[in-house]
Amino acid sequence: MSSFTLKAPLSQPTASAGKTRRQRHPAALAITALVAAAVLLPILAVIVMAFSGTGADWPHLARYVLPQSVTTTFVLLALVAFGSSVLGVGCAWLVVAYEFPLRRTFAWALVLPLAVPPYLAAYAFGEFFHYVGPVQTGIRTLFGFTRPGDYWFPDIRTTAGAAIVMTSVTFPYVYLTARVVFVMQGRNIADVARTLGAAPARVFWRVLLPVARPAIVAGVALVLMETVNDFGAVQYLGVRTLTLAIYSTWLNRGSLEGAAQIAVVMLFLVFILLTAEQMARRKQRFHSARGTQMKARPPRIALSGWRACGAFAVALVPILAGFGIPLAVFGRYALNRLDQFAEPALAEALVTSIGTALATAVLAIAVALLLLYAARLVRTRRMVFLVRFATIGYAMPGTILALGLLISLARFDNFIDGLAREYMGLSTGLLLTGSAAAVVLACAIRFLALAEGAVQAGLEKLPPNLDEAARSLGRSAPASAATILLPLLKPAIFTAGILVFVDTVKELSATILLRPFGFNTLATYVYENASRGAVEEGAMAALFIIATAIVPVILLSGPLMRDRDL
């Protein structure tokens, strides 16, 4: 839920000033370059592994694995993009332009599905629509069916089913971005168009959608990134995407080289998504309404009768699907198994999740502060590009990141072990590979963009010459940052910590591949139980994840609930 693009500096220095800054702060540029290299290293390791091997697995992959995986991935992405766009844009315009019962409540409640990770939604949907689940049981009771062959019911374990699951929990990305545009200017533009005689449908399609297109594209890009990154949902639903192909080739076939080759194909797909998103933003130009226009907002269109009921249902269904079904399924299972509170495995997973998330949050925030302060000291294009590369990890699927880290850390451990054997006559073994530190490092790289975005938002509110005044009085750059900037950035740092903490608790794809033996977080605990068909056993852990993930959702919903213009 953050932007991938670093915003421009508050002020552009002259060439001579930039040269002076680089001379005065070479360490800032060096630290930023080191962080960017550490983030890019796993990606480069995957590429090198893919092209430097024997290529023995490539014919098999090209003939039997890639055609199906690529096709399935593109179909899934297309379905999710379409579904999230329709649902997100439709709900955003509904709560902005029309008045109907509980509209203000729906305006913030439509964000709630973001609290449910896709893999939890897949487990809940699988149980809810199972043959013995409440839906099919109700159908058999209502119509008197006794056998599965007596009636037809769609199978959730399909590509279309996976698209429904992913759409139900990711559409709020599009809803939030589209709603901002509609609130800022959509209703004013629509009112002007209607005074010129345009019909409501024509106003929406010809005026509002073009205006909101950059925001919609940005939201869909986030949705597709989440879809490409997903591992638990597609595996549980039996949908063979590129992510699942990497996992099965690596672990089931024992081919690290083959997994790297599939990862390169997936990297190319991610690059296409990022490029398309940037191009769509660059080509769009629209006016942002401010000032007096915002104060003279036209009234919403009041709905009554069946139209009000229809609007109520349209806003309610996405909330029930994305948040209500998982909460009901896991809540019922948890009530049936209250003894899970006493299970040592669950307590251990909870402690491990909290410890891992705290360590990741501290590391990500520390690195984000270093990057942003370095960019504040050295305001050059080179620094902007380095910070941008350092925060690109959020766009990388966790499976690729885990694969690249495994290759990089293994070579590092082997290098250290070789030195120890040669000069000290002893073996150090694997220091980082297969350790908890590898999981923390992967999550920190992946979620550094979240910390950077939150801290940067706070830093931009501070005057650019605030710490410069302290340095002009003789204080060093680190001392002025510690005594002047850090106290003022506490709210932003707290927000950044929450975002990184929650996303680490939810993270599954990198953790499941990098964790050491016996290392279980809440996410892997639920995953293991679901993999052996015992979703009920992980219900309590699933509720813990949802309860944790709802914190940033409340932060997002807070301004919506306080906004009088809702």
Side-chain angles (χ1 to χ4, degrees):
M1 291 179 282
S2 70
S3 175
F4 303 136
T5 305
L6 184 68
K7 296 181 180 178
L10 292 176
S11 60
Q12 294 293 340
T14 62
S16 60
K19 185 175 180 181
T20 302
R21 291 178 189 274
R22 289 196 296 271
Q23 292 175 348
R24 290 180 179 178
H25 306 288
L29 191 62
I31 290 174
T32 306
L34 184 62
V35 174
V39 172
L40 293 176
L41 182 60
I43 301 174
L44 295 177
V46 168
I47 296 175
V48 170
M49 170 66 75
F51 289 100
S52 62
T54 62
D57 291 325
W58 181 251
H60 171 81
L61 297 176
R63 184 173 182 179
Y64 298 106
V65 178
L66 285 177
Q68 178 188 0
S69 299
V70 171
T71 302
T72 302
T73 301
F74 272 105
V75 171
L76 180 62
L77 291 178
L79 292 175
V80 173
F82 176 78
S84 61
S85 299
V86 172
L87 206 55
V89 174
C91 290
W93 181 242
L94 188 66
V95 300
V96 168
Y98 298 95
E99 190 66 50
F100 56 93
L102 296 181
R103 183 196 56 81
R104 288 179 59 88
T105 301
F106 287 134
W108 63 263
L110 281 164
V111 188
L112 288 176
L114 282 181
V116 182
Y119 58 89
L120 290 187
Y123 303 155
F125 272 63
E127 296 294 301
F128 191 74
F129 294 105
H130 193 269
Y131 178 75
V132 296
V135 175
Q136 293 202 53
T137 300
I139 292 175
R140 291 194 302 273
T141 302
L142 181 62
F143 295 100
F145 298 136
T146 58
R147 298 177 304 170
D150 292 341
Y151 65 100
W152 176 85
F153 193 83
D155 188 3
I156 195 68
R157 296 176 181 270
T158 59
T159 304
I164 292 174
V165 170
M166 297 298 300
T167 299
S168 68
V169 294
T170 57
F171 82 88
Y173 287 117
V174 182
Y175 166 76
L176 286 170
T177 54
R179 184 189 173 279
V180 169
V181 176
F182 290 153
V183 166
M184 291 294 295
Q185 62 183 28
R187 284 166 52 200
N188 292 287
I189 294 177
D191 187 64
V192 171
R194 283 193 293 267
T195 61
L196 297 177
R202 184 177 178 85
V203 170
F204 182 80
W205 290 105
R206 298 297 297 273
V207 178
L208 296 175
L209 278 186
V211 167
R213 192 176 300 160
I216 296 171
V217 170
V220 171
L222 289 174
V223 169
L224 296 183
M225 291 299 171
E226 288 291 325
T227 305
V228 169
N229 177 66
D230 175 72
F231 166 74
V234 294
Q235 186 192 42
Y236 181 76
L237 298 175
V239 180
R240 296 195 61 81
T241 61
L242 286 169
T243 304
L244 188 56
I246 293 173
Y247 178 85
S248 59
T249 302
W250 179 0
L251 297 184
N252 297 342
R253 288 180 56 86
S255 175
L256 193 60
E257 178 186 330
Q261 291 167 347
I262 301 175
V264 169
V265 176
M266 194 170 175
L267 280 172
F268 181 70
L269 173 60
V270 172
F271 175 77
I272 291 176
L273 293 176
L274 290 176
T275 303
E277 189 266 347
Q278 292 296 325
M279 290 181 63
R281 282 175 175 270
R282 191 182 302 117
K283 293 179 180 179
Q284 297 302 314
R285 297 292 183 271
F286 59 92
H287 173 68
S288 180
R290 294 182 182 273
T292 57
Q293 288 180 320
M294 291 296 295
K295 296 179 182 178
R297 188 174 300 283
R300 293 181 177 86
I301 300 174
L303 300 178
S304 60
W306 67 269
R307 290 184 175 86
C309 294
F312 181 90
V314 168
L316 179 62
V317 169
I319 301 172
L320 292 180
F323 187 74
I325 290 178
L327 193 64
V329 170
F330 293 123
R332 182 169 65 89
Y333 283 167
L335 289 176
N336 293 337
R337 291 295 310 276
L338 292 177
D339 58 303
Q340 289 180 356
F341 275 113
E343 289 187 4
L346 177 59
E348 183 180 349
L350 178 61
V351 172
T352 302
S353 286
I354 293 175
T356 303
L358 284 175
T360 302
V362 170
L363 178 58
I365 290 173
V367 174
L369 288 172
L370 285 174
L371 290 177
L372 291 174
Y373 192 62
R376 193 178 177 92
L377 293 176
V378 185
R379 299 178 184 179
T380 62
R381 289 186 176 182
R382 181 186 302 177
M383 178 62 75
V384 171
F385 280 118
L386 285 176
V387 175
R388 183 175 299 173
F389 278 121
T391 56
I392 202 173
Y394 194 75
M396 292 298 105
T399 308
I400 296 180
L401 190 59
L403 180 64
L405 269 180
L406 179 71
I407 298 171
S408 305
L409 295 180
R411 291 181 177 178
F412 174 80
D413 287 344
N414 289 334
F415 175 73
I416 297 297
D417 184 68
L419 292 179
R421 287 175 182 270
E422 182 176 356
Y423 294 104
M424 293 183 292
L426 55 89
S427 175
T428 58
L430 298 177
L431 300 175
L432 297 176
T433 306
S435 67
V439 177
V440 172
L441 182 59
C443 292
I445 291 175
R446 177 148 165 69
F447 303 130
L448 177 60
L450 294 178
E452 184 267 346
V455 175
Q456 185 187 21
L459 192 62
E460 288 179 344
K461 297 177 182 178
L462 303 180
N465 57 351
L466 192 63
D467 50 319
E468 291 178 2
R471 293 200 302 274
S472 68
L473 297 176
R475 288 200 175 188
S476 64
S480 63
T483 57
I484 304 297
L485 295 181
L486 279 182
L488 297 175
L489 286 174
K490 284 182 179 179
I493 292 174
F494 178 73
T495 301
I498 290 178
L499 293 175
V500 176
F501 181 93
V502 170
D503 270 37
T504 304
V505 171
K506 293 162 52 179
E507 210 288 323
L508 175 65
S509 54
T511 306
I512 201 70
L513 297 174
L514 289 174
R515 60 176 178 157
F517 180 77
F519 183 94
N520 254 345
T521 62
L522 291 173
T524 60
Y525 182 84
V526 178
Y527 166 81
E528 287 185 349
N529 283 286
S531 298
R532 58 187 180 87
V535 174
E536 184 174 352
E537 300 295 328
M540 199 67 68
L543 289 180
F544 283 150
I545 294 174
I546 294 175
T548 304
I550 209 169
V551 174
V553 171
I554 293 175
L555 293 179
L556 284 173
S557 304
L560 299 179
M561 289 184 284
R562 293 191 297 268
D563 191 355
R564 291 185 178 274
D565 187 59
L566 278 174

